Amino acid sequence: MTAELVRGQNHPVSHSRVEVRVSAGTAVLVLASLADERGRLTGPRALAHPGAPGLPGVRVSEEPAERHILAVDLDAVEAGVHSIGVVLVLPPGGPARFGAVPVPHLAIAEQGGAEFAAFAPADLDAETTLIALELYRRQGAWKVRAVGQGYADGLAALLADGGLAAPEAAALTEEALRTARRTGDAGRPPTSLPTHAQGSDATRHLAPQPPAAAPAPPDPIPVSAVPHARPPGPAPAPAEPDGSRPTIDYAHPRRRRTTAEAPEPAPRPAPAADPADPEGPPAPVAGDAAGWSMDERLYNQVWGMFEDLARTVAAYRSAVDFADSRLDRELDEALSDPSRRLTGSDDARETARVRRDELVARARAVLDRDLVQLTAESEVVEPALPAAYARWDSPVWHGRDITEEGPLALRLGNLGLPESPGLRIPLLMRLPLERGLWIDNGRTGSEAAMAMDTDRLRRAALDMAVAHAARLLAVHPADRFSVHVIDPAGAGSAALAPLVRAGLLAAPPAAGAAGVAETLARLTRRVDLVQMALRAGAPEDLPPDLDPAEQLLIVHDFPHGFDDRAVTQLRYLADEGPAVGVHLLMVADRDEASAYGPLLDPLWRSLMRLSPVPDHHLADPWVQHAWTFEPDLPPQGSEVLDQTLERVARARGDARP
């Protein structure tokens, strides 16, 4: 199955000989740039182009064409090369910009085999040169990343951005384009390469594939399931323990095409005791990660802390499991040895237990060392987080102005593990929202919920929904979101009061079956109209009475007040709404909707479940830790929520003409 990548997303490359298949719809040059571990070009000859088509491990076509096959032998690439950029250039005499030609399509495949990843860099305009894909080396393995970064000033700008001096960049550009111009003047027709053709010819000039290395000896502690370094780039999200779809999408956010994708943060080595360095590892610094803004660097740093904690706890648990299994094996051997049954068995058992305790103690010492470093980093990072990522008790909420730009992500709560009771990692959800949220106010969801009074649990769930809505409004421009509320029986009036008092609801909370039907019909109509406009290629041709802001629908006490038609409309909004700016925030007990049976199963699966009380319903995607989720709410007795909503209301008033 081919993975369709988006900008910034990466995918593992498990084959040493691969092909990058380019279909551009117009004649283009395909070049390959070779960069070192810092992303800098390795020298003036670090570009494979028609005048010099062959470099170690890489060979490009020698003329412009609509279709190309770029052959790469990753084993033959020089050790100093850490990334290979696939560059598309519009040749002289051709179209003036990529915005005037069809969107190019690139696929990467095993040599002569099936494609396993593809990317179509859309939203191009004035660019004449484009870094479409990048093959990069990380921790001894190769991956491919979708880049889609264009340069309106051409190939020379790309080369200068890669570290070449201006004269070198200009000379290399002239050499590459002069060859392309000469082939075009000769009237040579472009070569059209079928998808799987010329596989052997395309790679016959590459260096021979080296023999496979001997397998490494097994590690004394089996930790093969534990990632030994932070996975680079956009990592997979925590998933439900039952194996259902991921709950959080940490894929790279959609950016404007003029923004270059940030390089990945380098894996941070675990802090180690160094006799030559008595001071230990360097002090942590907020924003110590890659990114084009402080918000992005902090986001990447928080995600890295999550991965580091997952990895170090997995290593500790793996060591304990190994120690326990070895203890069982040694005890069995002691009992099964006839010579030890009468004498020496006690000594053998005691020796086995001591060996087990020593191994666990060493593993715990490593875990404690890593936890100290992560805790120190958390203490530095947490106060530096912007409002979208910060706790409600952070000073950043006091006296802040409403932002003019939307954030990268939104804090939903905190995550922790039993081995680190004092360390909490922010749970950040990428924006724009691609899934609705479901705050489970049922008592069967967890032990903590079962121990809580029903009324208190329901109030806590709706308070949590109001806090999320307030955060969403406060960290976006004043007119970005319109909020709707469905409260059929009016049971949530006390919790909803801050939103009502601030005048931030698009309409009073909908009550009764009639109010439910009217609200759902209005939002369903909006989804239909926006979808039709987008399909027609005229997103600006919408009725004047349609609110251009994104819509947030808070549903309380579902399914009370919902008939079959309303349930169908709610499912439609959950499935189709996020793509056109209609988002769902449900506060519901799944058991109360059991009468609908499996009809509502797709609805619950489409939403990200959160709990108003601490619960361990989230699992990481690598070693399936059951993470404890804790909601982040305004402190009891604090007025921070009301003050925040008042500032949003004032900003809306100032924004109105």
Side-chain angles (χ1 to χ4, degrees), residues 302-537:
V302 168
W303 173 237
M305 292 163 59
F306 171 81
E307 291 171 337
D308 285 347
L309 181 57
R311 182 175 63 252
T312 190
V313 170
Y316 170 72
R317 292 180 179 178
S318 178
V320 172
D321 290 342
F322 173 77
D324 289 340
S325 63
R326 188 176 68 178
L327 173 63
D328 293 340
R329 185 177 67 252
E330 292 178 349
L331 291 178
D332 289 342
E333 292 174 355
L335 293 175
S336 62
D337 187 352
S339 64
R340 294 183 178 180
R341 289 179 181 174
L342 298 178
T343 60
S345 59
D346 291 341
D347 292 342
R349 287 196 293 269
E350 182 62 24
T351 300
R353 292 191 181 96
V354 169
R355 281 162 52 83
R356 184 262 179 198
D357 293 343
E358 289 177 349
L359 181 57
V360 171
R362 290 200 303 270
R364 184 70 213 193
V366 173
L367 173 64
D368 290 341
R369 178 202 63 192
D370 291 346
L371 292 181
V372 167
Q373 180 69 7
L374 283 170
T375 300
E377 186 173 13
S378 177
E379 292 173 351
V380 171
V381 169
E382 190 71 55
L385 294 177
Y389 308 167
R391 295 193 304 253
W392 276 107
D393 60 0
S394 170
V396 74
W397 287 104
H398 299 287
R400 68 178 300 275
D401 295 328
I402 303 303
T403 182
E404 296 298 326
E405 295 183 0
L408 205 65
L410 198 72
R411 186 171 189 155
L412 299 181
N414 306 306
L415 294 173
L417 290 171
E419 289 83 355
S420 57
L423 179 61
R424 293 293 179 266
I425 306 296
L427 172 59
L428 304 180
M429 185 175 188
R430 294 305 289 261
L431 296 176
L433 296 170
E434 295 184 354
R435 298 180 66 184
L437 300 177
W438 163 35
I439 301 177
D440 187 357
N441 64 1
R443 298 188 63 201
T444 59
S446 66
E447 294 180 1
M450 293 179 65
M452 196 172 184
D453 177 74
T454 300
D455 293 337
R456 288 179 55 212
L457 181 64
R458 291 177 179 271
R459 176 60 188 266
L462 191 53
D463 285 342
M464 183 177 171
V466 171
H468 286 328
R471 184 187 292 266
L472 194 68
L473 292 171
V475 300
H476 283 90
D479 56 350
R480 176 68 64 84
F481 274 90
S482 292
V483 181
H484 309 260
V485 174
I486 290 178
D487 186 20
S493 57
L496 294 168
L499 289 172
V500 176
R501 283 197 303 266
L504 295 176
L505 298 182
V516 171
E518 179 184 356
T519 302
L520 292 177
R522 183 167 62 251
L523 293 176
T524 301
R525 172 179 176 268
R526 186 186 190 281
V527 171
D528 291 338
L529 291 176
V530 174
Q531 284 184 337
M532 287 188 292
L534 291 175
R535 284 195 292 265

Side-chain angles (χ1 to χ4, degrees), residues 49 52 111 193 332 344 346 415 441 477 564 638:
H49 58 84
Q111 179 185 335
L193 296 175
D332 289 342
D346 291 341
L415 294 173
N441 64 1
D564 290 345
S638 171

